[in-house]
Amino acid sequence: MNQNLLQTPIEYLKGVGPNRAETLKKELDIRTYRDLINFFPNRYLDKTGFYKIKDLQQNSSEVQVIGKIVHLKAIEQKRGQRLVADFIDETGKMELVWFRGHKWIRENIQLNTPYVIFGKSNFFNGTFSMPHPELEKLEDYKKSLRPAMQPIYPSTELLQKKGITNRVIMKLMQEVLQQTGLNFSESLNAELIGNLKLITKSEALFNIHFPKNQELLAKAQFRLKFEELFFIQLQLLRKNILHKQKIKGFNFDKIGENFNTFYKQHLPFELTGAQKNVIKEIRADLGSGAQMNRLLQGDVGSGKTIVALMSMFIALDNGFQACLMAPTEILSVQHYNGIIELCNNLKTSVYILTGSTKTSRRREIHQKLENGQIDILIGTHALLEDKVKFKNLGLAIIDEQHRFGVAQRAKLWNKNTTPPHVLVMTATPIPRTLAMSLYGDLDISVIDELPPGRKPIKTVHRFDSNRLKVFRFIKEEIEKGRQIYIVYPLIQESEKMDYKDLMDGYESIARAFPENQISIVHGQMKPADKDYEMDRFVCGETQIMVATTVIEVGVNVPNASVMIIESAERFGLSQLHQLRGRVGRGAEQSFCILMTSHKLSNDSKTRLETMTSTNDGFEIAEVDLKLRGPGDLMGTQQSGVLTLKIADIVKDNSILQTARNYANKILKEDPNLSMEKNTAIKQAYSRLVKNKTIWNYIS
Ligand code: ADP
Ligand code: MG
């Protein structure tokens, strides 16, 4: 196939012209013949078969029926009339209904003449009816040429306004397929095509637009989805390989005093098997000579902090510094306190730097950092400031990755001429397949085991009307010596209203629990005040913590055993799961109570049901992904990253796996795609990379 022909600007296609070309560019990003051919329908009207009236189903979609109109009458209704036709075939009777265009129907319809009708049928009062059907005389129907299954293309308001209707797109598509002659060059190798029994590229492209039947459509979809996912995986895996070849990292081949002393003398508990494995993986990376770029996934409470610390010890043992960055002040402080405690009796020098660090202290830290007097620096985004210069940063750990943008990750990278090793830790488990697609350039470790002795958290859903019972329960728990979180939503757009809800809630709780001390923490407080309130709760001075979601991430108070989430219907699943993870950290039975009003959307119901039925973060992530779609899951920063042309990361999961396996296999054998049999793949791949058709990956 002549590649140049496919590069022809779209305005040269018959039926397009400069105006339409402009609209196609603007609305659909269609610039060339190739772009048009790669603009796929999102559904099809199946006109391959005919229904008998007696076989119509109540919930069927569009159907096609042959029959005759035997009677036509106007029925008065509130506003104007509707025109109703009795339509029969040899098996039964149905109604055709028009609310507009009566004149045309009356003048053109021929009674008792065979027609083919097409449309969506409704079932009402024991009769099937079809509003505004497509109508064509059987005689004409037989003569005309048409696709058996009509493609329906995604559209926009502007396209409609400019008259670029579905019919127009179909016409253009026919034109472009005719001109390009339907002999597209192959883009996969013979082995793949044979093993997966794929149809040819040309067949696939033709049938995705004008399927001859359902079976060919399914084959076309499979081939194109596979191809899309295959080339993405190929790109990710190649990037990973190149990265390992090219980007030299510090070689931490020593395991020395810091690590060993800690491991032998100060380890506060036996590591879980999963923790040991992950530390092994990290050790191997750090000693490989290539820069580590690893994602550590572990559910809330799975014990990532100690893994982080032990990894940092390896850096120190090799004469380097390490840093640990967290998204919030509270979390940084907590990491700092936890790590100070673990490093008690060790010579390690640990500092913290956040937005609220005083200027004089800040200066001291800057200096000590450059002198190498600081081993480990913990902090917030403040670590990213240009003034913060390390003597020799060897390992950067980022906790709670999804809060940090990609640019920030890059900034840490650039702190040295040789990039430090990077470990990204996340407690928002994302399904492995999605992780592979999003972070294909990172290696992935998973802590899939909780420390022993944890009791699963009991989660229930209660309506606001049962608040008194919930209060009684809280009282009992406090009497047993436990502490309680009560969390209110905080959504940026309605910050004022949320603030009011929080304050109202605080007051009603203060009234209901006059004997107890209550902490309150929200985003509008000064960091020092936040810390003060937080500390009171941590040391047990207060029994109840009323807060917005600022406490979402990482806060660790083992004695807190009840998490009450107010307006739980307003939270996303991963957030609910994160919040719940604040309890269940001690030896006591913990509870999570999801409070909602009676008004619940279907999605809210699914979220609540999921939360009450499982504690497994990965399972929850799967449901979340299904509810929200992958773009959303990653937050706005990365949304749109996963807008694929035809495949769907969630629904086409197994195709994704297959694509990844094959991409892996091919690259293992032929990393540069230079073997003869892979020529087609190499050509297609280079073109995709050159045209940036494969989207540019983060990082
Ligand atoms: P997360 O993965 O959510 O960051 P943390 O590192 O904060 O989890 O650990 C949660 C709690 O579990 C902490 O109190 C920690 O001391 C404890 N912990 C971690 N690992 C173990 C283990 N192997 N055995 C017992 N307790 C552990
Ligand atoms: Mg943590």
Side-chain angles (χ1 to χ4, degrees), residues 269-272 275 299-305 451 454 556 585:
F269 36 66
E270 172 92 20
L271 295 176
T272 62
Q275 284 170 322
D299 213 338
V300 265
S302 61
K304 293 182 292 294
T305 313
R454 297 264 173 87
N556 190 16
R585 299 186 155 228

Side-chain angles (χ1 to χ4, degrees), residues 15-279:
V16 180
N19 275 336
R20 280 187 171 171
E22 194 55 41
T23 313
L24 288 173
K25 257 178 228 168
K26 201 163 139 202
E27 291 295 282
L28 301 172
D29 206 21
I30 293 176
R31 290 153 199 282
T32 62
Y33 282 16
R34 187 200 305 282
D35 293 341
L36 181 62
I37 293 171
N38 283 302
F39 177 57
F40 301 139
N42 53 10
R43 61 190 194 100
Y44 303 83
L45 300 181
D46 186 352
K47 295 185 172 175
T48 50
F50 294 95
Y51 271 79
K52 295 292 177 204
I53 292 176
K54 77 167 173 22
D55 296 331
L56 291 178
Q57 300 287 322
Q58 286 199 26
N59 297 316
S60 62
S61 48
E62 288 98 347
V63 292
Q64 185 167 244
V65 185
I66 301 176
K68 295 171 185 172
I69 294 177
V70 289
H71 185 71
L72 197 60
K73 63 174 181 272
I75 295 178
E76 293 298 325
Q77 52 184 37
K78 265 192 202 132
R79 255 180 274 152
Q81 300 180 321
R82 69 175 189 276
L83 196 60
V84 178
D86 288 338
F87 185 80
I88 61 160
D89 68 2
E90 67 281 9
T91 70
K93 188 182 104 174
M94 65 186 288
E95 290 181 344
L96 311 181
V97 185
W98 292 269
F99 301 97
R100 309 176 295 276
H102 297 176
K103 184 158 173 281
W104 189 90
I105 298 289
R106 284 185 187 286
E107 284 168 7
N108 290 281
I109 282 291
Q110 297 175 10
L111 294 184
N112 299 310
T113 309
Y115 274 93
V116 176
I117 61 162
F118 181 86
K120 193 166 162 31
S121 70
N122 299 323
F123 187 71
F124 188 67
N125 273 348
T127 312
F128 282 98
S129 68
M130 188 183 287
H132 291 263
E134 286 178 24
L135 277 169
E136 190 169 13
K137 269 197 254 170
L138 183 59
E139 204 187 312
D140 299 336
Y141 181 92
K142 282 183 177 155
K143 275 185 270 177
S144 70
L145 269 175
R146 77 194 61 244
M149 295 176 63
Q150 186 190 319
I152 305 288
Y153 293 92
S155 187
T156 67
E157 219 171 292
L158 191 72
L159 286 172
Q160 294 297 332
K161 226 168 94 190
K162 299 257 172 174
I164 306 183
T165 58
N166 199 61
R167 206 176 277 255
V168 170
I169 302 258
M170 260 168 71
K171 264 226 138 81
L172 298 178
M173 207 60 87
Q174 272 163 344
E175 182 67 34
V176 78
L177 288 174
Q178 234 158 43
Q179 274 201 35
T180 49
L182 275 187
N183 54 347
F184 296 93
S185 41
E186 195 41 74
S187 46
L188 298 172
N189 69 19
E191 187 192 336
L192 272 176
I193 293 172
N195 282 356
L196 294 167
K197 302 197 176 59
L198 300 176
I199 56 177
T200 66
K201 177 117 185 177
S202 299
E203 272 181 293
L205 284 172
F206 184 79
N207 278 287
I208 203 71
H209 293 294
F210 303 109
K212 295 204 180 89
N213 53 45
Q214 287 285 0
E215 196 194 341
L216 272 170
L217 173 61
K219 285 189 170 163
Q221 285 172 328
F222 182 82
R223 152 116 212 190
L224 294 171
K225 284 175 178 180
F226 176 83
E227 198 168 326
E228 179 169 43
L229 295 168
F230 172 78
F231 280 108
I232 289 168
Q233 293 304 321
L234 202 64
Q235 189 195 31
L236 287 170
L237 292 167
R238 280 208 76 200
K239 217 166 152 179
N240 194 312
I241 293 171
L242 289 179
H243 187 103
K244 287 198 173 130
Q245 284 170 352
K246 260 200 226 138
I247 304 198
K248 278 213 178 353
F250 301 119
N251 190 3
F252 295 170
D253 49 6
K254 261 204 319 233
I255 296 298
E257 203 193 327
N258 286 288
F259 189 96
N260 285 329
T261 314
F262 180 78
Y263 192 70
K264 288 187 191 127
Q265 295 165 23
H266 301 285
L267 202 60
F269 36 66
E270 172 92 20
L271 295 176
T272 62
Q275 284 170 322
K276 282 184 195 161
N277 281 340
V278 169
I279 291 172

